[in-house]
Amino acid sequence: AQKVTQAQTEISVVEKEDVTLDCVYETRDTTYYLFWYKQPPSGELVFLIRRNSFDEQNEISGRYSWNFQKSTSSFNFTITASQVVDSAVYFCALSNGPRALIFGKGTTLSVSS
Amino acid sequence: NAGVTQTPKFRVLKTGQSMTLLCAQDMNHEYMYWYRQDPGMGLRLIHYSVGEGTTAKGEVPDGYNVSRLKKQNFLLGLESAAPSQTSVYFCASSYSAPGGKSPLHFGNGTRLTVT
């Protein structure tokens, strides 16, 4: 069965600290996609990144970086030099064939100044 | 572009009442979805549609019905609301199935309280 586990329920850091959000997934599919979404306090869901199962290159976008490792079924998200505006709930999600995304339970990140 | 629009934004129902949540998208997307978000549970799929006139059950479909009479609209109905249906409901759409390349585009959510 498809499953996404975000073991960290809540993380609190001080501004400028680096923080890594963990995501572990289970799937029997050989081709699949992994996603990260951000949900700020305003409540909307914002797409951050998509990664397919054939591309294990790490990706960096500004202060954000993602580490995809098939060997450990992990797709971790790192924020470098965190800022207060990074405070949000972050969801990792896994494609489920033609149906829909399966989401983890989310990690609440609080960044204090 | 409006993207994905959900109406209403907030609603309070009494147990046993019925209501319909409307989702409209202007991106000509084939796929549409209804999720519910509950504290500590993440987002769980209620129903989804792979095209006009089609619907299918997701992870938590009981107590809900859906219809996709027009490509741009996806309606979620509660025939007899229960307190367990108190939640934030998100509609989403995508150009192709998420097993492909398309991310989901989400509406801003509807906060429903059933008393």
Side-chain angles (χ1 to χ4, degrees):
Chain A
Q2 317 281 90
K3 187 178 179 181
V4 176
T5 301
Q6 294 180 255
Q8 305 151 308
T9 304
E10 295 182 11
I11 301 176
S12 294
V13 299
V14 178
E15 252 189 332
K16 298 184 182 178
E17 283 187 38
D18 298 347
V19 58
T20 296
L21 309 182
D22 297 333
C23 174
V24 174
Y25 63 93
E26 296 176 26
T27 181
R28 292 181 181 177
D29 294 341
T30 55
T31 301
Y32 52 91
Y33 286 79
L34 293 157
F35 301 77
W36 276 95
Y37 283 82
K38 174 182 180 180
Q39 186 177 41
S42 51
E44 72 273 22
L45 285 151
V46 179
F47 165 69
L48 294 178
I49 190 172
R50 171 190 60 236
R51 172 68 67 203
N52 74 54
S53 53
F54 294 106
D55 183 1
E56 291 195 67
Q57 283 190 343
N58 291 336
E59 180 153 344
I60 299 175
S61 176
R63 296 184 296 106
Y64 294 173
S65 62
W66 291 268
N67 182 288
F68 174 38
Q69 292 193 337
K70 287 182 73 172
S71 61
T72 56
S73 296
S74 64
F75 186 41
N76 296 337
F77 173 29
T78 297
I79 302 175
T80 302
S82 60
Q83 299 176 2
V84 172
V85 293
D86 296 326
S87 296
V89 182
Y90 291 87
F91 291 99
C92 181
L94 169 68
S95 61
N96 185 23
R99 296 184 67 190
L101 296 185
I102 292 177
F103 285 82
K105 294 183 178 181
T107 297
T108 299
L109 174 64
S110 298
V111 183
S112 57
S113 57
Chain B
N1 281 343
V4 179
T5 303
Q6 292 183 232
T7 53
K9 290 183 172 54
F10 303 94
R11 186 70 186 268
V12 178
L13 288 179
K14 293 184 178 180
T15 298
Q17 287 185 320
S18 63
M19 78 163 294
T20 299
L21 306 183
L22 171 63
C23 177
Q25 52 95 2
D26 62 1
M27 297 173 283
N28 201 33
H29 285 172
E30 288 292 338
Y31 292 74
M32 296 188 74
Y33 316 86
W34 278 106
Y35 284 88
R36 60 177 288 173
Q37 182 180 17
D38 303 292
M41 299 297 292
L43 286 92
R44 293 180 292 170
L45 182 67
I46 304 171
H47 286 280
Y48 65 101
S49 169
V50 299
E52 182 179 321
T54 74
T55 63
K57 294 180 180 180
E59 182 186 356
V60 289
D62 293 342
Y64 305 96
N65 57 77
V66 289
S67 64
R68 182 102 181 265
L69 298 180
K70 294 183 178 180
K71 185 177 183 178
Q72 62 268 34
N73 296 336
F74 195 30
L75 306 180
L76 178 70
L78 287 74
E79 290 187 349
S80 179
S84 61
Q85 294 177 305
T86 293
S87 186
V88 179
Y89 292 85
F90 284 97
C91 177
S93 70
S94 63
Y95 181 73
S96 61
K101 294 184 177 181
S102 301
L104 299 187
H105 297 264
F106 283 90
N108 287 333
T110 295
R111 185 173 295 275
L112 174 66
T113 301
V114 183
T115 61

